[in-house]
């Protein structure tokens, strides 16, 4: 017989659809800033991301003045967290 999975309880997921526009902004040293501008529930939230080829490159990076708080290690701003909806209004 073929393997199968039985689901006895319905999944009760309350997820928010993330609506955002992503802008790719050329940065110094051939880097790119990925700027996400969120809409709807997260209107006003901006997240900028820069990917580096090495740890040394990341540590020596000096972000533009318009960058805000560094949220690299904050779970609060992961897409998986944001998709669960706002926890504070």
């Amino acid at each position: 017989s073929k393997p199968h999975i039985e689901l006895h309880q319905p999944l009760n997921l309350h997820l928010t659809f993330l609506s955002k526009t992503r802008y790719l902004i050329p940065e110094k040293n051939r880097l790119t800033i990925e700027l996400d501008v969120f809409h709807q529930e997260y209107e006003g939230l901006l997240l900028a991301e820069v990917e580096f080829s090495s740890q040394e490159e990341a540590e020596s990076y000096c972000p533009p003045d318009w960058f805000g708080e560094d949220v690299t290690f904050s779970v609060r701003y992961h897409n998986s967290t944001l998709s669960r909806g706002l926890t504070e209004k």
Side-chain angles (χ1 to χ4, degrees):
S1 75
K2 294 182 180 181
H4 66 280
I5 297 174
E6 291 184 32
L7 184 62
H8 296 281
Q9 292 203 339
L11 293 176
N12 192 15
L13 300 177
H14 299 286
L15 300 178
T16 297
F17 175 75
L18 294 180
S19 176
K20 63 184 177 181
T21 302
R22 175 167 288 172
Y23 298 94
L24 301 177
I25 304 169
E27 174 62 319
K28 61 187 173 256
N29 299 325
R30 292 188 274 171
L31 297 171
T32 300
I33 298 170
E34 295 179 7
L35 178 65
D36 289 341
V37 178
F38 287 80
H39 310 290
Q40 298 173 350
E41 186 172 359
Y42 292 108
E43 190 74 40
L45 175 63
L46 306 175
L47 291 178
E49 179 179 339
V50 180
E51 294 191 12
F52 304 99
S53 57
S54 69
Q55 185 68 32
E56 293 78 25
E57 186 180 31
E59 290 171 356
S60 67
Y61 180 70
C62 183
D65 291 339
W66 58 268
F67 270 36
E69 174 189 359
D70 183 355
V71 296
T72 301
F73 301 106
S74 175
V75 190
R76 181 178 187 184
Y77 295 102
H78 290 180
N79 281 334
S80 59
T81 302
L82 294 173
S83 68
R84 287 188 231 131
L86 287 173
T87 55
E88 302 172 1
K89 289 202 177 192

